[in-house]
């Protein structure tokens, strides 16, 4: 493959201005992550110490093979919800290496309200188990939860994607032959009892671990029976009487050691044969991504400059370079793996939509994973484009993308607006993983467009009703709409709601994608086939 030639002048004032802006965003990301991961009230830290418990991240660190990376999901989930009371949505999830095996890890964060599950906690756990199902990855659960957050019970219990979905996903994993291990460090109460109950293996810590459908207060209220935690669901009872748990452990350290021994017995799945070459560092420094990205969401930039700082050797075989030029398509290697890249260089026109659809068909024919680099304002609108069939051609692109059988990965590099999000494998389209950058914005349309659209609607309404046009009312509506929109457009809001699998520093993107692609190869390729293409 040919090496891309960068046209960026790293000494220019514009590059330096962009670099400073985006570097500040990356630093803000790290500061927010540090607070979400480690900032806790002293009383909660003291409580765990009194109980003889490790901090949740210490457990994860002990579980992972020394010196191996951990690809954490949604580290800033719930950062704009619940008045900040649920950092990280009160749990830790990600992909790591345990005893030489790739596994998904789900760890309750008992430093936050005893590990109680908020609605977004459940969404985050369900998502990590979806990832395990889609990629056929074993799961290790680190259990220590007070159960559902009762004040919000209507949002954690009854519906399809609420608490029951966790246990449904555990059953699906078992049906697929994907192994699960539960390490019970604290209480597994009510529905949470089913996590170790539905796991293939489980270990329970003596003295602090407990598994029961109803704790002592509930048992007394329901039946009048008075019983201790140990009698009801402690390690001795469950490992010697009920058989609900397999291994007792005298300490958390021993439980983790037993867990690592268990994982070491598991067979290693055979990955499907994706094309691979020897990995090569990008020719252009990924640190330069800060200067490539603009400091204004409305500014266009050259996506080939992004690709050059992500892929092996900065080499890229571009497909149809002179056709549909607002969509860049081509083949590259990423940590050695062959990938097909689709990257936006502007709005999607008829020709770029058709080019993208055809390129995805080629990648599916060639068993090549797809990487989408989104910076999209949408499909082109207007009378001429509708007459030319932009809806029809956009539908072709969406059909080809939706029905792709190869793994798909998405990186939100800048804006993601309108139906362009759909064609470029937005959240609704079952990509294996979707990451965002701190500068990212997402919405039906941009803030200015939304404000102007609603102002225009209001103006026509006033004219239709024969009212005097009050320009102050129009401007107030415009300002209020823009302000509300900008908050909900931000990457911080998006990741708070778990519309992505986490915000990542742009310079970490290559490593994150490399781990994601490697993990995806554990699952067999899907079946070939598409729906109807409207010609």
């Amino acid at each position: 493959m040919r090496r891309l030639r960068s046209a960026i002048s790293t000494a220019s004032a514009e590059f330096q201005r962009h670099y400073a802006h985006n570097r500040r965003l990356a630093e803000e990301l790290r500061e927010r992550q540090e607070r979400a991961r480690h900032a806790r009230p002293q009383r909660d830290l003291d409580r765990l110490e009194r109980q003889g418990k490790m901090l949740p991240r210490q457990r994860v660190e002990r579980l992972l093979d020394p010196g191996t990376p951990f690809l954490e999901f949604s580290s800033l989930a719930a950062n704009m919800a619940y008045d900040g009371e649920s950092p990280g949505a009160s749990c830790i999830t990600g992909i790591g290496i345990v005893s030489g095996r790739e596994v998904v890890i789900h760890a309750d964060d008992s430093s936050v309200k005893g590990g109680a599950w908020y609605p977004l906690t459940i969404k985050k756990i369900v998502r990590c188990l979806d990832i395990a199902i889609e990629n056929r990855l074993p799961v290790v659960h680190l259990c220590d939860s007070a159960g559902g957050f009762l004040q919000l019970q209507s949002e954690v219990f009854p519906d399809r994607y609420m608490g029951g979905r966790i246990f449904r996903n555990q059953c699906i994993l078992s049906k697929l032959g994907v192994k699960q291990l539960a390490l019970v460090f604290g209480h597994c109460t009510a529905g949470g009892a089913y996590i170790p109950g539905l796991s293939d293996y489980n270990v329970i810590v003596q003295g602090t671990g407990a598994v029961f459908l109803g704790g002592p207060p509930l048992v007394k209220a329901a039946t009048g029976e008075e019983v201790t935690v140990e009698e009801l669901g402690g390690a001795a009872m469950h490992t010697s009487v009920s058989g609900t748990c397999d291994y007792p452990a005298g300490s958390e350290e021993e439980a983790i050691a037993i867990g690592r021994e268990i994982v070491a017995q598991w067979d290693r799945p055979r990955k499907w044969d994706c094309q691979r070459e020897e990995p090569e560092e990008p020719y252009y420094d990924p640190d330069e991504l800060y200067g490539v990205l603009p400091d204004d969401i409305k500014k266009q930039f050259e996506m080939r400059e992004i690709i050059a700082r992500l892929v092996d050797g900065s080499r890229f075989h571009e497909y149809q370079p002179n056709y549909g030029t607002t969509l860049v398509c081509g083949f590259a290697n990423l940590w050695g793996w062959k990938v097909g890249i689709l990257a936006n260089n502007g709005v999607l026109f008829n020709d770029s939509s058709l080019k993208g659809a055809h390129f995805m068909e080629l990648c599916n024919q060639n068993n090549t994973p797809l990487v989408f680099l989104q910076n999209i304002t949408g499909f082109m609108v207007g009378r001429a484009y509708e007459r030319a069939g932009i809806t029809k051609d956009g539908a072709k692109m969406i059909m080809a993308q939706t029905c792709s059988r190869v793994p798909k990965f998405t990186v939100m590099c800048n804006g993601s607006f309108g139906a362009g999000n759909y064609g470029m494998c937005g959240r609704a389209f079952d990509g294996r993983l979707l990451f965002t950058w701190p500068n990212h914005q997402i919405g039906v349309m941009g803030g200015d467009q939304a404000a102007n659209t609603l102002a225009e609607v209001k103006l026509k309404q006033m004219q239709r009703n024969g009212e005097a046009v009050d320009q102050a009312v129009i401007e107030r509506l415009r300002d209020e709409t823009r302000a509300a929109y900008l908050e909900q457009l931000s990457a911080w809001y998006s990741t708070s709601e778990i519309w992505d699998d986490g915000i990542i520093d742009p310079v970490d993107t290559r490593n994150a994608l490399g781990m994601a692609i490697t993990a995806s190869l554990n699952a067999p390729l899907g079946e070939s086939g598409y729906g109807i293409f409207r010609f």
Side-chain angles (χ1 to χ4, degrees), residues 51 53 59 108 110 114-117 142-147 183-190 192-193 195-196 204-205 207-212 214-217 228-230 232-234:
Q51 294 170 344
K53 292 181 175 182
R59 293 168 178 165
D108 295 318
S110 50
W117 290 351
L142 308 185
C143 305
D144 190 357
S145 172
L183 304 181
V184 181
F185 297 109
H187 288 189
C188 294
T189 308
I195 288 185
I204 184 169
V205 178
T208 57
V211 177
F212 32 56
T228 67
V229 168
E230 286 300 310
L232 187 62

Side-chain angles (χ1 to χ4, degrees), residues 106 117 122 125-126 129 133 141 143 145 147-148 156-157 160-175 180 188-199 213:
H106 148 230
W117 290 351
I122 289 172
I125 297 171
V126 168
L129 295 179
I133 290 169
H141 304 273
C143 305
S145 172
V156 303
F157 175 68
R160 181 177 184 182
Y161 291 101
M162 293 183 183
R165 194 73 175 186
I166 296 172
F167 317 124
R168 175 265 186 194
N169 277 2
Q170 285 192 269
C171 294
I172 296 298
L173 283 165
S174 186
K175 176 182 176 181
Q180 295 177 78
C188 294
T189 308
Y194 291 114
I195 288 185
L198 289 168
S199 294
L213 295 179

Side-chain angles (χ1 to χ4, degrees), residues 17 67 115 122 126 136 209 291 304 350 353 375 387 391 404 419 439:
R17 187 179 71 252
I122 289 172
V126 168
R136 301 297 196 272
R304 293 177 186 84
N350 298 72
S353 302
N375 178 32
R387 290 174 66 88
T391 300
S404 290
N439 56 304

Side-chain angles (χ1 to χ4, degrees), residues 206-326:
Q206 295 170 339
T208 57
V211 177
F212 32 56
L213 295 179
L218 179 58
V219 170
K220 183 175 181 180
T223 70
E225 180 184 11
E226 293 193 11
V227 62
T228 67
V229 168
E230 286 300 310
E231 292 170 332
L232 187 62
M237 191 282 288
H238 274 316
T239 57
S240 63
V241 179
S242 75
T244 299
C245 296
D246 303 321
Y247 304 85
S251 66
E252 295 196 1
E253 290 85 353
E254 184 183 7
I256 293 170
I258 294 171
R260 287 181 50 80
E261 290 176 8
I262 291 168
V263 175
Q265 313 311 311
W266 294 351
D267 60 340
R268 299 174 188 270
R270 182 186 296 272
K271 296 179 183 287
W272 60 268
D273 190 22
C274 180
Q275 290 186 65
R276 195 177 194 204
E277 299 177 7
E278 192 66 27
E280 182 182 359
E281 290 294 319
Y283 178 79
Y284 296 102
D285 188 349
D287 183 71
E288 294 172 358
L289 288 169
Y290 297 134
V292 174
L293 292 169
D295 54 3
D296 183 340
I297 197 73
K298 291 179 284 190
K299 287 184 180 178
Q300 190 60 40
F301 61 95
E302 173 56 65
M303 194 61 86
R304 293 177 186 84
E305 299 286 358
I306 301 293
I307 296 170
R309 289 156 179 85
L310 295 181
V311 302
D312 291 9
S314 303
R315 303 179 195 282
F316 185 60
H317 174 79
E318 188 166 351
Y319 174 71
Q320 288 191 328
N322 298 326
Y323 179 72
T325 54
T326 59

